Amino acid sequence: MSTTPTILLVHGFWGGAAHWAKVILELHRKGHDQVKAVELPLTSLVNDAERTRRMIRQIDGPVVLVGHSYGGAVITEAGNQPNVQGLVYIAAFAPDSGESPGGITQQHLPEAAPNLAPDSDGYLWLRADKFHESFCQDLSADEGWVMAVTQKAPLASTFGDAISDPAWKHKPSWYQLSSQDRMISPQNQKAMAERMQPKRLLQLEASHASLASHPAEVAALILEAVASVDG
């Protein structure tokens, strides 16, 4: 069994595992290749958490979970597995027991809320023509367009799924706050981060897509968590 933690990356809404591409490469450059990325169905918190738990159970050794956006809710729900040693939240939801991402969103509506568009099948999309300015305004227009076209829409009902026993109450946590986030209000991020009392709160002048616009800083925070639980 490996004693060096495996990093398990969990994406959020309107993207897939490939949203972590720049962070994965940054971790590789820093010599950390024990990295996996979950591809979530985005059909319900129950399904997404169970997919993540199955990935965790396949890892023979300690795990550090990293969640971006809605992925933070997923690691909050799935992170009580015994080999999970730490949690890293990247511009992410960190709900308490009984809370849902949708409920938290209503406390301070994000700037881009009007740009969400449900379809007739129950999926919630971020309008392609508004994706760059809403999700990743600190990336190039070309990168934003590719993200818009390849976005992975969640079932809208997933927003209302509530947490049972939040893992951040039991595991050490780290939080990266994006001060220019238009998808999750920075006020909501600050409130969620402060109540979990993270080992470190890193604030970046970044969009919601900080994992793509600031991969070096995000990777450094992840490796800080790995070093902490590995020590």
Side-chain angles (χ1 to χ4, degrees), residues 12-15 68-70 91-93 101-102 104-106 108-117 124-127 130-137 151 154 159 178-189 192 206-210:
F13 290 157
W14 304 296
H68 172 244
S69 187
Y70 163 75
F93 287 108
I104 292 170
T105 298
Q106 291 299 316
H108 296 283
L109 280 176
E111 188 176 337
N115 299 332
L116 299 176
L124 188 63
W125 297 85
L126 182 53
R127 284 178 50 187
K130 298 290 187 180
F131 197 101
H132 183 227
E133 68 183 67
S134 301
F135 195 95
C136 55
Q137 72 272 16
Q151 68 176 289
F159 254 120
S178 288
S179 64
Q180 304 304 313
D181 200 315
R182 298 172 183 172
M183 298 300 299
I184 301 179
S185 163
Q187 289 174 276
N188 285 339
Q189 290 185 41
M192 289 184 287
S207 71
H208 189 57
S210 55

Side-chain angles (χ1 to χ4, degrees), residues 13 41-48 70 73-74 99-103 122-124 153-162:
F13 290 157
L42 299 183
T43 49
S44 71
L45 181 61
V46 168
N47 292 342
D48 296 331
Y70 163 75
V74 176
E99 286 184 341
S100 67
Y123 290 89
L124 188 63
L155 281 176
S157 57
T158 307
F159 254 120
D161 293 345

